[in-house]
Amino acid sequence: MKIKFLKYVWLLFVLCAFGCQQKLPKDHKKFAENTNLIHYAKGFALFKFKDYSILKIKDPWPNAEKEFVYLLKKKQAVIPDSLKGLPNITIPLQSVVVTSTTHIPSLEMLGVENTITGFPHTDYISSVRTRKLVDSGKITEVGTEQNLNIERLIELNPNAIVAHGIDNNNPTLDNLQKSGLKIIFNGDWNETSSMGKAEWIKFFGALYDQDEKAEQIFNLIVANYKAAAKLVKGAKVKPTVFSGAIFQNQWYMPQGNSWAASFLRDAQGNYLWNDTTGTGSLSLTFESVFLKAGNADFWIGPGQFNSLEELAAANTHYAQFKAFQTKNVYSYSTKTGRKGGLIYFELAPNRPDLVLKDMIKILHPELLPNYQLHFFEKLQ
């Protein structure tokens, strides 16, 4: 089950692409380029007009060669002829099927989680508010990430299905689209910056005609993040940090340009693999990790372990690390929803300000004396 959850975070609900690349009409290009509402995210752009918006998904999956453009229109909107060929969605949505737990916090922050009618593998949902909707039967199980229930989705007939994709080879969405359902890709998981991931709340703001509210929420997250980073910027000591654990004989560690590494850097931690390039994971031997991190001050994010005892039982050599011996090992795996879903996987991409504060509390506790860790916990 733990390995399944770990796999889930990287391959959140495998849904793939359909159709051909769409482009913005020429007569809107200049105006749209000057009014893009997105500033941090690389995977999408949003162009706001009077009664409609143009949503452009640029990176629906890694190394995507296709872009998808959608027309989001109000019921009484007058649409220029040049835009009528775009896939269109009437806003605000009244019902939606989302396919990743990372979508749920945005919907909750906008106060529209009650419009969710379906979700694949509902056990992954951790949020108390949305779990109540599942338990009351208002959110229907629509299969799993690899085996969506097409008949059930057609029966639900949501205004839109917000899909994830990892490549361009799955007929499920083609069949759903042929049945008249609206598919919109969301590539939030493909972002590598903390602010870029969080800015996808504007994607949902556009779908619910709540652009201003989404902007206000995002701006507050940015302000909180910058304030926390400023608080710790003058720290005199930068504790040494490493991460990860062994999986199938390899130690997986975040690369230096990754989302996870950025928090350690902004929290004024000395991440020992900070000089590596790339945004994914390093694959290392135990010996190379121990040689470099054996005397590191902190071990943050040691895989799916919930106690020091579990760590030592999995590999007796883990106990040789100084961070283990000084009990400076912190994990997000101890905090789960009622069905076992990891809260970190669901909420952290949407609230980077809380992740940064956790890192500061761990590495520089004197700077946040009254703050309680939100995602992480010291292993006992």
Side-chain angles (χ1 to χ4, degrees):
M1 179 61 72
K2 292 176 181 176
I3 292 175
K4 188 175 182 181
F5 274 127
L6 184 61
K7 178 181 178 183
Y8 167 75
V9 72
W10 297 108
L11 300 176
L12 284 174
F13 303 107
V14 180
L15 297 171
C16 304
F18 64 94
C20 300
Q21 179 172 343
Q22 300 280 350
K23 295 183 178 179
L24 288 171
K26 292 182 180 179
D27 57 340
H28 280 72
K29 185 174 182 181
K30 183 176 180 180
F31 179 72
E33 287 176 344
N34 291 332
T35 58
N36 181 15
L37 300 179
I38 308 307
H39 307 294
Y40 293 88
K42 304 298 183 183
F44 79 113
L46 180 62
F47 311 114
K48 183 92 173 157
F49 298 88
K50 182 180 178 181
D51 293 320
Y52 62 90
S53 298
I54 297 174
L55 176 64
K56 182 177 182 181
I57 307 301
K58 299 186 287 184
D59 292 313
W61 54 80
N63 304 314
E65 296 180 356
K66 293 184 177 182
E67 295 179 342
F68 297 89
V69 182
Y70 308 94
L71 175 67
L72 310 181
K73 62 183 181 66
K74 298 180 183 180
K75 287 184 179 180
Q76 305 303 322
V78 177
I79 305 302
D81 291 340
S82 59
L83 296 178
K84 290 181 178 179
L86 294 177
N88 66 86
I89 308 290
T90 299
I91 59 171
L93 297 182
Q94 302 301 314
S95 62
V96 68
V97 169
V98 292
T99 54
S100 168
T101 57
T102 62
H103 301 160
I104 291 171
S106 289
L107 296 176
E108 290 189 345
M109 285 187 280
L110 293 170
V112 294
E113 71 275 7
N114 61 325
T115 64
I116 305 172
T117 58
F119 190 88
H121 211 311
T122 54
D123 282 354
Y124 285 125
I125 297 174
S126 299
S127 163
V128 173
R129 284 166 58 180
T130 304
R131 280 233 61 86
K132 288 181 179 179
L133 296 174
V134 176
D135 296 340
S136 65
K138 294 180 180 179
I139 297 179
T140 301
E141 174 75 52
V142 293
T144 66
E145 63 271 25
Q146 295 179 350
N147 189 23
L148 289 172
N149 190 321
I150 296 177
E151 292 77 13
R152 196 169 295 168
L153 286 167
I154 293 173
E155 183 180 348
L156 285 174
N157 192 29
N159 295 155
I161 298 174
V162 179
H164 265 73
I166 62 167
D167 56 32
N168 186 30
N169 185 31
N170 192 321
T172 301
L173 296 183
D174 282 328
N175 292 332
L176 290 170
Q177 188 185 21
K178 290 175 183 177
S179 299
L181 296 179
K182 306 282 188 177
I183 312 294
I184 308 177
F185 280 98
N186 178 299
D188 61 357
W189 70 283
N190 202 29
E191 298 285 344
T192 57
S193 73
S194 57
M195 292 301 107
K197 287 180 183 288
E199 196 169 19
W200 279 82
I201 190 175
K202 296 180 183 179
F203 167 96
F204 288 102
L207 293 180
Y208 286 88
D209 194 22
Q210 293 195 30
D211 299 284
E212 290 185 7
K213 185 174 182 179
E215 180 80 23
Q216 291 172 357
I217 293 170
F218 177 68
N219 288 344
L220 181 59
I221 291 171
V222 172
N224 289 341
Y225 192 98
K226 289 183 176 180
K230 183 178 180 180
L231 175 68
V232 75
K233 191 172 183 179
K236 296 180 180 180
V237 178
K238 289 188 176 184
T240 50
V241 185
F242 70 107
S243 186
I246 295 174
F247 180 71
Q248 295 183 346
N249 298 320
Q250 291 292 305
W251 192 303
Y252 291 95
M253 187 92 65
Q255 291 180 321
N257 301 125
S258 67
W259 180 69
S262 69
F263 292 112
L264 296 172
R265 185 165 50 251
D266 289 347
Q268 299 303 308
N270 179 11
Y271 178 50
L272 295 175
W273 277 264
N274 195 51
D275 60 349
T276 58
T277 57
T279 57
S281 296
L282 298 165
S283 179
L284 307 168
T285 65
F286 174 88
E287 291 77 14
S288 65
V289 173
F290 186 75
L291 182 64
K292 195 168 187 175
N295 289 315
D297 299 311
F298 291 90
W299 184 355
I300 300 177
Q304 302 292 300
F305 298 102
N306 293 323
S307 69
L308 295 176
E309 183 180 2
E310 281 187 15
L311 265 176
N315 189 320
T316 57
H317 296 298
Y318 286 150
Q320 298 174 8
F321 286 89
K322 172 188 170 183
F324 183 100
Q325 295 169 1
T326 57
K327 298 183 179 180
N328 277 328
V329 183
Y330 290 81
S331 177
Y332 51 71
S333 64
T334 61
K335 297 187 177 182
T336 65
R338 188 165 54 82
K339 291 287 187 175
L342 293 179
I343 295 172
Y344 182 79
F345 289 168
E346 180 172 303
L347 182 58
N350 298 267
R351 293 300 306 271
D353 54 329
L354 296 179
V355 180
L356 180 59
K357 286 182 178 180
D358 274 14
M359 294 299 101
I360 295 172
K361 179 65 175 181
I362 292 169
L363 302 178
H364 307 280
E366 72 283 357
L367 296 178
L368 292 172
N370 299 318
Y371 178 80
Q372 299 296 317
L373 293 176
H374 193 92
F375 298 110
F376 289 81
E377 187 174 20
K378 178 183 281 193
L379 294 189
Q380 302 300 319

